[in-house]
């Protein structure tokens, strides 16, 4: 059974450790804040100038003036702070963020990421993605394993314009958890009910499979 977007976020939340400062990218990554354990303290940072984001607000409780980088309404935790973009990017470029969680259109087996532009389609700009991938030492990607045509998004080489080179450490898709290694994508976990063979069929890049068997994800 392939995971949905919320389950991907729920699995990634297990990677968040006590005391971490975490930047959440647009899309699936924004959902991670909803699933962090209650017994740990985590500071979520948004590049538009927020530190201390909480879960998404319930319907009717939204404040249109409090948003994340994707212009979604958010909540803030006690002690949260707001600041300008210069301060926000100083945090990012100064490597004060422990974990960055991003979405992606493509990831290559060497850790390259493409997540900002499809040629021929209008985009307003790269946003903060380039700063995040060039400064962060721990990047996890949240993405679907295939595109709408059923083609692999985990490739030997990215076909789209790159955002960053050799920067991704781990990927959580709707089918699997994978780690970037010198030799390609190392399969760590598989979604419940999904076989290793099914993952192989939709992974264009080199897939490393342990002979000891691949455990199912715990969601």
């Amino acid at each position: 059974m392939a995971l949905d977007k919320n389950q991907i976020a729920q699995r990634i939340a297990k990677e968040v450790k006590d005391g971490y400062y975490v930047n959440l990218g647009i899309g699936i990554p924004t959902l991670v804040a909803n699933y962090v354990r209650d017994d740990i303290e985590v500071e979520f940072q948004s590049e538009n100038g927020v530190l201390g984001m909480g879960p998404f607000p319930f319907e009717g409780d939204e404040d249109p003036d409090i948003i994340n980088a994707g212009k979604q309404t958010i909540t803030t935790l006690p002690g949260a702070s707001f600041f300008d973009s210069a301060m926000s990017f100083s945090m990012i470029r100064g490597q004060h963020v422990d974990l960055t969680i991003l979405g992606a259109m493509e990831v290559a087996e060497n850790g390259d990421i493409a997540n900002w532009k499809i040629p021929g389609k209008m985009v307003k700009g790269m946003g903060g993605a380039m700063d995040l991938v060039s400064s962060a030492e721990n990047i996890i990607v949240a993405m679907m394993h295939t595109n709408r045509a059923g083609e692999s998004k985990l490739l030997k080489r990215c076909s789209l314009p790159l955002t960053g080179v050799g920067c991704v450490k781990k990927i959580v898709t709707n089918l699997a958890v994978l780690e970037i290694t010198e030799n390609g994508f190392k399969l760590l976990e598989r979604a419940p009910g999904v076989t290793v063979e099914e993952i192989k069929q939709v992974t264009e890049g080199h897939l490393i499979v342990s002979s000891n068997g691949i455990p199912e994800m715990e969601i």
Side-chain angles (χ1 to χ4, degrees):
M1 177 190 71
L3 306 184
D4 61 26
K5 293 180 179 180
N6 283 284
Q7 290 172 315
I8 293 173
Q10 191 173 353
R11 171 59 187 83
I12 291 177
K14 296 178 182 294
E15 304 290 326
V16 179
K17 309 301 182 185
D18 188 34
Y20 266 19
Y21 287 82
V22 181
N23 182 283
L24 301 177
I26 296 171
I28 298 174
T30 60
L31 300 172
V32 173
N34 294 336
Y35 297 104
V36 174
R37 287 170 23 213
D38 293 332
D39 62 337
I40 64 174
E41 293 187 8
V42 179
E43 295 285 351
F44 287 106
Q45 191 254 20
S46 182
E47 65 211 54
N48 61 315
V50 185
L51 182 66
M53 291 189 296
F56 284 120
F58 291 108
E59 186 174 354
D61 293 335
E62 303 94 338
D63 183 338
D65 291 325
I66 304 179
I67 60 173
N68 61 20
K71 299 181 175 61
Q72 298 168 305
T73 54
I74 58 172
T75 63
T76 54
L77 301 176
S81 58
F82 302 91
F83 35 84
D84 60 23
S85 293
M87 178 66 74
S88 180
F89 282 98
S90 291
M91 293 178 183
I92 293 167
R93 294 167 185 165
Q95 298 185 324
H96 300 294
V97 175
D98 299 296
L99 174 63
T100 297
I101 303 169
L102 298 173
M105 300 168 188
E106 296 176 347
V107 175
E109 61 185 32
N110 69 338
D112 293 353
I113 181 174
N115 76 342
W116 76 281
K117 181 179 176 66
I118 297 176
K121 292 191 176 182
M122 181 178 175
V123 293
K124 295 180 180 179
M126 185 175 284
M130 182 177 289
D131 292 271
L132 288 164
V133 299
S134 63
S135 303
E137 295 185 352
N138 188 9
I139 297 176
I140 296 178
V141 168
M143 65 188 294
M144 294 297 167
H145 211 98
T146 60
N147 61 25
R148 293 179 181 177
E151 300 165 334
S152 179
K153 295 169 67 173
L154 283 79
L155 310 174
K156 292 182 174 67
R157 292 185 179 180
C158 292
S159 62
L160 297 173
L162 294 183
T163 312
V165 175
C167 55
V168 175
K169 302 297 184 187
K170 188 175 286 187
I171 307 158
V172 180
T173 76
N174 56 321
L175 300 181
V177 178
L178 308 105
E179 181 182 17
I180 298 291
T181 72
E182 293 180 353
N183 299 313
F185 299 109
K186 182 178 180 181
L187 184 59
L188 301 180
E189 301 173 23
R190 54 191 174 85
V194 175
T195 66
V196 172
E197 188 58 38
E198 288 172 325
I199 296 168
K200 284 182 179 178
Q201 290 175 0
V202 289
T203 306
E204 184 205 273
H206 181 60
L207 186 67
I208 303 166
V209 181
S210 170
S211 60
N212 298 327
I214 305 299
E216 289 190 349
M217 292 185 214
E218 293 183 9
I219 303 298

